[in-house]
Amino acid sequence: MYIGFDYGTANCAVAVMENGQPRLLPLEGDSFFIPSTLAAPSREAVSEALFRHYDIKPADKIGEQLLRRSISANKDDDIIVDAHALQFGQQALDTYLNDPDEVYYVKSPKSFLGASGLHDIQLSLFEDLVCAMMANIKHRSENQCGESITQAVIGRPVNFQGTGGSKANQQAESILRRAATRAGFKAIEFQFEPVAAGLEYESQLQEDKTVLVVDIGGGTTDCSVLQMGPGWLNKEDRTEGLLAHSGSRVGGNDLDIALAFERIMPLFGKHSTNQRGLAAPISQFWNPVAINNVAAQSDFYASANLAVLQQLVRDSAEPALLQRLLQVYHHTLGHQLVREAELLKIALSESSSASTEIRIRQETLPISCTSHELAEAVSSNADKISSLINEALSQAECAPDVIFMTGGSARSPMLRQLIEQRLPGVPIVAGDYFGSVTAGLSRWAEFCFR
């Protein structure tokens, strides 16, 4: 049996084809979407749990080395890796929010797959993280279908990283393929996510059109210019209709991070000065919320950074603010701060202002934001999205007949307005913001595996 598998930065989803139409499978209760999150008692518990309770063995000698280290570390720390050690989706997020100190929590490992400078052991850990998530989703999907699933078309962005080029893309796709193979898939194909979204939109077309697909997902924004419609449906080779592709690692997560940095981190000392009037290093406020940046997270939570933060508190003209930053360090609260920013952003997709509260020990910190403040906070990211549209249109050397917007962040009125201003008069169609890619992947899976 085959599936279309959207292994997304924010959420994962799976679809099958039934009677010529995609059907998304419930993956978490009645929801078709499961957050791309994982929680475990320790980082090392992931590799050990895969081996002990999922019967998934390491793929190579580096993986074996990681497994031996993990088992030893868990034993030394008296961590018991039982059958329930790994948690996924909303359950993983709830566990983290309930007690950040006592859990290893990962959101969106897809964001890291194309990162440069990773050591072999880090690549092996990311492969284990992805494998665990894929195995969990495969198992849930098989429970829904009542049969084994061995074939999958997996979606991928045009570019996993903005600066890594083809090498980063090869690294990321290799991790996905190896993880999927270890999770039990026997035949694996990949398809660009914007192309998949376009394939789903194409099913509605009554005549051939040139379509600009703008897919603003959790981790990346991808644009494709495609020739689509009834005249293209039955063609075995559609290469001539794939006119242009552009993509970069700028998506919903980046908007959340930018909003957290601009609107939340001032409550933790950003913009404050020391007693001599000098500003604190800006990296100390960026790194904790840069949850999709391995180096930034490592630098902030490094043991050596504790002394730096403590000195900042002593020197600060507003030490109470910097004390809050210390709490972020001690209780690993970066993900929680970005989550609050994400909720603000979502609320602002339906209202011109929104507010929330953050609890830091005994304090309750009120936070508010307007649509204008959101636009200011994410302006540099919005400019990157505009540049990607320009790049795709320049490659295609033609104007689109219609714009198809998809991806969770495509709901933003601000981003829709940006595209309207760039291409005035071109109609914009919004599909299923979260399900179009998954549905299109299942259509392509039918083409690949029929």
Side-chain angles (χ1 to χ4, degrees):
M1 182 177 180
Y2 59 80
I3 58 171
F5 190 163
D6 182 10
Y7 180 71
T9 305
N11 297 285
C12 296
V14 163
V16 298
M17 292 296 291
E18 288 186 354
N19 301 318
Q21 295 298 320
R23 179 172 73 87
L24 271 68
L25 303 179
L27 294 179
E28 192 170 51
D30 295 330
S31 176
F32 298 126
F33 309 100
I34 181 169
S36 303
T37 55
L38 177 148
S42 68
R43 180 182 62 186
E44 292 76 16
V46 177
S47 301
E48 184 174 350
L50 270 182
F51 178 71
R52 293 195 186 282
H53 304 295
Y54 287 75
D55 195 28
I56 295 176
K57 298 176 176 59
D60 53 27
K61 290 183 178 180
I62 299 297
E64 293 172 357
Q65 179 184 353
L66 175 62
L67 177 60
R68 288 193 299 270
R69 287 186 185 181
S70 298
I71 293 173
S72 176
N74 289 324
K75 183 178 180 181
D76 290 344
D77 292 336
D78 295 323
I79 294 174
I80 299 174
V81 182
D82 60 24
H84 306 289
L86 301 187
Q87 298 178 350
F88 304 92
Q90 189 63 43
Q91 183 186 25
L93 176 59
D94 291 343
T95 298
Y96 164 73
L97 294 176
N98 184 56
D99 194 352
D101 293 340
E102 297 300 322
V103 66
Y104 172 68
Y105 176 75
V106 178
K107 177 183 179 182
S108 310
K110 183 180 177 182
S111 299
F112 305 122
L113 301 186
S116 59
L118 297 177
H119 300 298
D120 287 344
I121 204 77
Q122 290 175 299
L123 293 172
S124 188
L125 172 62
F126 288 138
E127 183 182 311
D128 279 358
L129 289 168
V130 175
C131 180
M133 297 172 74
M134 286 186 166
N136 171 63
I137 291 169
K138 182 174 184 291
H139 176 70
R140 294 180 187 221
S141 301
E142 289 171 340
N143 283 343
Q144 291 289 327
C145 297
E147 59 182 294
S148 177
I149 298 171
T150 59
Q151 300 166 312
V153 170
I154 301 173
R156 55 151 291 183
V158 174
N159 290 304
F160 286 85
Q161 294 279 330
T163 58
S166 60
K167 183 177 180 181
N169 290 331
Q170 291 167 7
Q171 173 182 289
E173 189 172 299
S174 175
I175 292 172
L176 288 174
R177 183 179 296 277
R178 285 159 59 97
T181 300
R182 292 173 63 203
F185 293 104
K186 306 299 183 185
I188 301 160
E189 299 289 341
F190 291 95
Q191 180 58 274
F192 285 154
E193 290 159 358
V195 174
L199 291 170
E200 175 59 14
Y201 174 58
E202 183 179 52
S203 66
Q204 309 169 25
L205 291 177
Q206 302 299 313
E207 59 181 350
D208 290 352
K209 291 183 180 293
T210 300
V211 182
L212 168 63
V213 180
V214 181
D215 177 13
I216 309 175
T220 57
T221 292
D222 296 294
C223 302
S224 289
V225 181
L226 312 169
Q227 290 181 339
M228 315 202 85
W232 292 89
L233 276 175
N234 297 316
K235 288 191 175 184
E236 290 291 326
D237 184 359
R238 300 190 55 162
T239 306
E240 289 185 5
L242 308 179
L243 302 182
H245 305 291
S246 65
S248 183
R249 200 189 78 170
V250 53
N253 281 358
D254 298 277
L255 304 183
D256 303 336
I257 289 167
L259 186 58
F261 180 63
E262 295 294 344
R263 299 297 302 167
I264 295 179
M265 293 316 290
L267 299 173
F268 295 81
K270 181 174 177 268
H271 305 317
S272 68
T273 62
N274 63 19
Q275 296 169 24
R276 293 180 295 165
L278 300 176
I282 202 69
S283 61
Q284 294 292 356
F285 307 100
W286 173 256
N287 289 350
V289 296
I291 59 173
N292 58 1
N293 186 315
V294 177
Q297 292 281 282
S298 298
D299 287 349
F300 183 76
Y301 291 111
S303 56
N305 197 41
L306 175 58
V308 177
L309 292 172
Q310 290 171 332
Q311 188 62 49
L312 287 176
V313 173
R314 287 192 291 269
D315 293 342
S316 178
E318 300 177 87
L321 298 183
L322 274 298
Q323 283 286 358
R324 294 172 185 164
L325 189 63
L326 265 181
Q327 296 307 313
V328 175
Y329 175 92
H330 284 304
H331 303 290
T332 322
L333 298 179
H335 282 283
Q336 193 166 334
L337 299 181
V338 175
R339 171 64 175 166
E340 294 298 337
E342 179 186 12
L343 295 175
L344 275 177
K345 182 193 72 176
I346 292 171
L348 288 168
S349 68
E350 299 178 354
S351 175
S352 60
S353 63
S355 60
T356 187
E357 294 180 341
I358 295 178
R359 286 193 59 82
I360 301 293
R361 302 198 70 177
Q362 304 305 314
E363 281 190 289
T364 299
L365 307 177
I367 300 170
S368 62
C369 188
T370 65
S371 297
H372 177 71
E373 289 167 336
L374 170 64
E376 286 187 333
V378 305
S379 60
S380 64
N381 293 301
D383 289 344
K384 292 177 184 177
I385 293 172
S386 182
S387 295
L388 290 172
I389 294 171
N390 292 341
E391 180 184 343
L393 294 176
S394 176
Q395 288 180 32
E397 298 182 335
C398 65
D401 299 313
V402 62
I403 302 163
F404 182 67
M405 291 186 68
T406 190
S409 294
R411 295 174 298 170
S412 167
M414 174 194 69
L415 295 179
R416 184 184 181 99
Q417 184 180 28
L418 178 149
I419 294 173
E420 288 174 340
Q421 291 172 347
R422 173 61 183 83
L423 293 164
V426 180
I428 297 178
V429 178
D432 181 340
Y433 289 116
F434 295 99
S436 294
V437 169
T438 315
L441 290 172
S442 67
R443 291 183 184 276
W444 193 246
E446 183 178 55
F447 177 82
C448 292
F449 301 124
R450 64 189 174 187

